[in-house]
mmCIF file with all atom_site columns, all heavy atoms in Angstrom:
data_model
loop_
_atom_site.group_PDB
_atom_site.id
_atom_site.type_symbol
_atom_site.label_atom_id
_atom_site.label_alt_id
_atom_site.label_comp_id
_atom_site.label_asym_id
_atom_site.label_entity_id
_atom_site.label_seq_id
_atom_site.pdbx_PDB_ins_code
_atom_site.Cartn_x
_atom_site.Cartn_y
_atom_site.Cartn_z
_atom_site.occupancy
_atom_site.B_iso_or_equiv
_atom_site.pdbx_formal_charge
_atom_site.auth_seq_id
_atom_site.auth_comp_id
_atom_site.auth_asym_id
_atom_site.auth_atom_id
_atom_site.pdbx_PDB_model_num
ATOM 1  N N   . MET A 1 537 ? 39.984 49.509 -93.630  1.00 97.00 ? 537 MET A N   1
ATOM 2  C CA  . MET A 1 537 ? 41.143 49.468 -94.521  1.00 97.00 ? 537 MET A CA  1
ATOM 3  C C   . MET A 1 537 ? 40.742 49.655 -95.977  1.00 97.00 ? 537 MET A C   1
ATOM 4  O O   . MET A 1 537 ? 41.526 50.168 -96.784  1.00 97.00 ? 537 MET A O   1
ATOM 5  C CB  . MET A 1 537 ? 41.904 48.156 -94.335  1.00 97.00 ? 537 MET A CB  1
ATOM 6  C CG  . MET A 1 537 ? 42.558 48.016 -92.963  1.00 97.00 ? 537 MET A CG  1
ATOM 7  S SD  . MET A 1 537 ? 43.622 49.421 -92.525  1.00 97.00 ? 537 MET A SD  1
ATOM 8  C CE  . MET A 1 537 ? 44.883 49.293 -93.786  1.00 97.00 ? 537 MET A CE  1
ATOM 9  N N   . GLU A 1 538 ? 39.521 49.274 -96.314  1.00 96.00 ? 538 GLU A N   1
ATOM 10 C CA  . GLU A 1 538 ? 39.037 49.478 -97.681  1.00 96.00 ? 538 GLU A CA  1
ATOM 11 C C   . GLU A 1 538 ? 38.994 50.962 -98.036  1.00 96.00 ? 538 GLU A C   1
ATOM 12 O O   . GLU A 1 538 ? 39.157 51.345 -99.190  1.00 96.00 ? 538 GLU A O   1
ATOM 13 C CB  . GLU A 1 538 ? 37.639 48.882 -97.840  1.00 96.00 ? 538 GLU A CB  1
ATOM 14 C CG  . GLU A 1 538 ? 37.601 47.365 -97.893  1.00 96.00 ? 538 GLU A CG  1
ATOM 15 C CD  . GLU A 1 538 ? 36.166 46.831 -97.881  1.00 96.00 ? 538 GLU A CD  1
ATOM 16 O OE1 . GLU A 1 538 ? 35.237 47.669 -97.956  1.00 96.00 ? 538 GLU A OE1 1
ATOM 17 O OE2 . GLU A 1 538 ? 35.990 45.610 -97.779  1.00 96.00 ? 538 GLU A OE2 1
ATOM 18 N N   . LYS A 1 539 ? 38.765 51.821 -97.046  1.00 96.00 ? 539 LYS A N   1
ATOM 19 C CA  . LYS A 1 539 ? 38.609 53.258 -97.270  1.00 96.00 ? 539 LYS A CA  1
ATOM 20 C C   . LYS A 1 539 ? 39.821 54.061 -96.808  1.00 96.00 ? 539 LYS A C   1
ATOM 21 O O   . LYS A 1 539 ? 39.836 55.282 -96.932  1.00 96.00 ? 539 LYS A O   1
ATOM 22 C CB  . LYS A 1 539 ? 37.371 53.775 -96.516  1.00 96.00 ? 539 LYS A CB  1
ATOM 23 C CG  . LYS A 1 539 ? 36.088 53.005 -96.806  1.00 96.00 ? 539 LYS A CG  1
ATOM 24 C CD  . LYS A 1 539 ? 35.631 53.160 -98.244  1.00 96.00 ? 539 LYS A CD  1
ATOM 25 C CE  . LYS A 1 539 ? 34.282 52.497 -98.470  1.00 96.00 ? 539 LYS A CE  1
ATOM 26 N NZ  . LYS A 1 539 ? 33.849 52.582 -99.889  1.00 96.00 ? 539 LYS A NZ  1
ATOM 27 N N   . ALA A 1 540 ? 40.816 53.401 -96.226  1.00 95.00 ? 540 ALA A N   1
ATOM 28 C CA  . ALA A 1 540 ? 41.975 54.098 -95.662  1.00 95.00 ? 540 ALA A CA  1
ATOM 29 C C   . ALA A 1 540 ? 42.666 54.956 -96.720  1.00 95.00 ? 540 ALA A C   1
ATOM 30 O O   . ALA A 1 540 ? 42.857 54.528 -97.859  1.00 95.00 ? 540 ALA A O   1
ATOM 31 C CB  . ALA A 1 540 ? 42.960 53.093 -95.079  1.00 95.00 ? 540 ALA A CB  1
ATOM 32 N N   . GLY A 1 541 ? 43.026 56.170 -96.331  1.00 92.00 ? 541 GLY A N   1
ATOM 33 C CA  . GLY A 1 541 ? 43.712 57.077 -97.238  1.00 92.00 ? 541 GLY A CA  1
ATOM 34 C C   . GLY A 1 541 ? 42.782 57.975 -98.022  1.00 92.00 ? 541 GLY A C   1
ATOM 35 O O   . GLY A 1 541 ? 43.229 58.959 -98.627  1.00 92.00 ? 541 GLY A O   1
ATOM 36 N N   . ASP A 1 542 ? 41.502 57.671 -98.052  1.00 96.00 ? 542 ASP A N   1
ATOM 37 C CA  . ASP A 1 542 ? 40.528 58.514 -98.757  1.00 96.00 ? 542 ASP A CA  1
ATOM 38 C C   . ASP A 1 542 ? 39.977 59.536 -97.762  1.00 96.00 ? 542 ASP A C   1
ATOM 39 O O   . ASP A 1 542 ? 39.322 59.161 -96.788  1.00 96.00 ? 542 ASP A O   1
ATOM 40 C CB  . ASP A 1 542 ? 39.390 57.651 -99.309  1.00 96.00 ? 542 ASP A CB  1
ATOM 41 C CG  . ASP A 1 542 ? 38.460 58.440 -100.219 1.00 96.00 ? 542 ASP A CG  1
ATOM 42 O OD1 . ASP A 1 542 ? 38.401 59.687 -100.088 1.00 96.00 ? 542 ASP A OD1 1
ATOM 43 O OD2 . ASP A 1 542 ? 37.761 57.809 -101.037 1.00 96.00 ? 542 ASP A OD2 1
ATOM 44 N N   . PRO A 1 543 ? 40.229 60.838 -97.968  1.00 96.00 ? 543 PRO A N   1
ATOM 45 C CA  . PRO A 1 543 ? 39.804 61.848 -96.992  1.00 96.00 ? 543 PRO A CA  1
ATOM 46 C C   . PRO A 1 543 ? 38.294 61.905 -96.787  1.00 96.00 ? 543 PRO A C   1
ATOM 47 O O   . PRO A 1 543 ? 37.825 62.383 -95.758  1.00 96.00 ? 543 PRO A O   1
ATOM 48 C CB  . PRO A 1 543 ? 40.336 63.162 -97.576  1.00 96.00 ? 543 PRO A CB  1
ATOM 49 C CG  . PRO A 1 543 ? 40.557 62.890 -99.024  1.00 96.00 ? 543 PRO A CG  1
ATOM 50 C CD  . PRO A 1 543 ? 40.928 61.450 -99.116  1.00 96.00 ? 543 PRO A CD  1
ATOM 51 N N   . VAL A 1 544 ? 37.546 61.402 -97.758  1.00 97.00 ? 544 VAL A N   1
ATOM 52 C CA  . VAL A 1 544 ? 36.093 61.405 -97.636  1.00 97.00 ? 544 VAL A CA  1
ATOM 53 C C   . VAL A 1 544 ? 35.637 60.542 -96.461  1.00 97.00 ? 544 VAL A C   1
ATOM 54 O O   . VAL A 1 544 ? 34.597 60.803 -95.853  1.00 97.00 ? 544 VAL A O   1
ATOM 55 C CB  . VAL A 1 544 ? 35.449 60.914 -98.952  1.00 97.00 ? 544 VAL A CB  1
ATOM 56 C CG1 . VAL A 1 544 ? 33.964 60.617 -98.773  1.00 97.00 ? 544 VAL A CG1 1
ATOM 57 C CG2 . VAL A 1 544 ? 35.631 61.972 -100.042 1.00 97.00 ? 544 VAL A CG2 1
ATOM 58 N N   . TYR A 1 545 ? 36.420 59.536 -96.107  1.00 98.00 ? 545 TYR A N   1
ATOM 59 C CA  . TYR A 1 545 ? 36.024 58.603 -95.049  1.00 98.00 ? 545 TYR A CA  1
ATOM 60 C C   . TYR A 1 545 ? 36.859 58.780 -93.778  1.00 98.00 ? 545 TYR A C   1
ATOM 61 O O   . TYR A 1 545 ? 36.887 57.905 -92.922  1.00 98.00 ? 545 TYR A O   1
ATOM 62 C CB  . TYR A 1 545 ? 36.130 57.169 -95.559  1.00 98.00 ? 545 TYR A CB  1
ATOM 63 C CG  . TYR A 1 545 ? 35.264 56.937 -96.780  1.00 98.00 ? 545 TYR A CG  1
ATOM 64 C CD1 . TYR A 1 545 ? 35.835 56.866 -98.051  1.00 98.00 ? 545 TYR A CD1 1
ATOM 65 C CD2 . TYR A 1 545 ? 33.878 56.858 -96.666  1.00 98.00 ? 545 TYR A CD2 1
ATOM 66 C CE1 . TYR A 1 545 ? 35.036 56.692 -99.182  1.00 98.00 ? 545 TYR A CE1 1
ATOM 67 C CE2 . TYR A 1 545 ? 33.082 56.686 -97.789  1.00 98.00 ? 545 TYR A CE2 1
ATOM 68 C CZ  . TYR A 1 545 ? 33.662 56.608 -99.038  1.00 98.00 ? 545 TYR A CZ  1
ATOM 69 O OH  . TYR A 1 545 ? 32.870 56.440 -100.148 1.00 98.00 ? 545 TYR A OH  1
ATOM 70 N N   . LYS A 1 546 ? 37.491 59.908 -93.673  1.00 97.00 ? 546 LYS A N   1
ATOM 71 C CA  . LYS A 1 546 ? 38.323 60.168 -92.491  1.00 97.00 ? 546 LYS A CA  1
ATOM 72 C C   . LYS A 1 546 ? 37.467 60.729 -91.367  1.00 97.00 ? 546 LYS A C   1
ATOM 73 O O   . LYS A 1 546 ? 36.565 61.544 -91.583  1.00 97.00 ? 546 LYS A O   1
ATOM 74 C CB  . LYS A 1 546 ? 39.433 61.159 -92.827  1.00 97.00 ? 546 LYS A CB  1
ATOM 75 C CG  . LYS A 1 546 ? 40.280 61.532 -91.619  1.00 97.00 ? 546 LYS A CG  1
ATOM 76 C CD  . LYS A 1 546 ? 41.353 62.545 -91.962  1.00 97.00 ? 546 LYS A CD  1
ATOM 77 C CE  . LYS A 1 546 ? 42.083 62.993 -90.702  1.00 97.00 ? 546 LYS A CE  1
ATOM 78 N NZ  . LYS A 1 546 ? 43.149 63.963 -90.964  1.00 97.00 ? 546 LYS A NZ  1
ATOM 79 N N   . PHE A 1 547 ? 37.780 60.301 -90.131  1.00 97.00 ? 547 PHE A N   1
ATOM 80 C CA  . PHE A 1 547 ? 37.143 60.869 -88.943  1.00 97.00 ? 547 PHE A CA  1
ATOM 81 C C   . PHE A 1 547 ? 38.124 61.798 -88.246  1.00 97.00 ? 547 PHE A C   1
ATOM 82 O O   . PHE A 1 547 ? 39.281 61.437 -88.011  1.00 97.00 ? 547 PHE A O   1
ATOM 83 C CB  . PHE A 1 547 ? 36.701 59.769 -87.972  1.00 97.00 ? 547 PHE A CB  1
ATOM 84 C CG  . PHE A 1 547 ? 36.197 60.297 -86.659  1.00 97.00 ? 547 PHE A CG  1
ATOM 85 C CD1 . PHE A 1 547 ? 35.001 61.008 -86.605  1.00 97.00 ? 547 PHE A CD1 1
ATOM 86 C CD2 . PHE A 1 547 ? 36.915 60.110 -85.487  1.00 97.00 ? 547 PHE A CD2 1
ATOM 87 C CE1 . PHE A 1 547 ? 34.535 61.512 -85.401  1.00 97.00 ? 547 PHE A CE1 1
ATOM 88 C CE2 . PHE A 1 547 ? 36.452 60.609 -84.282  1.00 97.00 ? 547 PHE A CE2 1
ATOM 89 C CZ  . PHE A 1 547 ? 35.257 61.314 -84.235  1.00 97.00 ? 547 PHE A CZ  1
#
Side-chain angles (χ1 to χ4, degrees):
M537 294 307 296
E538 286 173 6
K539 307 294 186 183
D542 188 336
V544 168
Y545 301 104
K546 177 182 174 179
F547 173 68

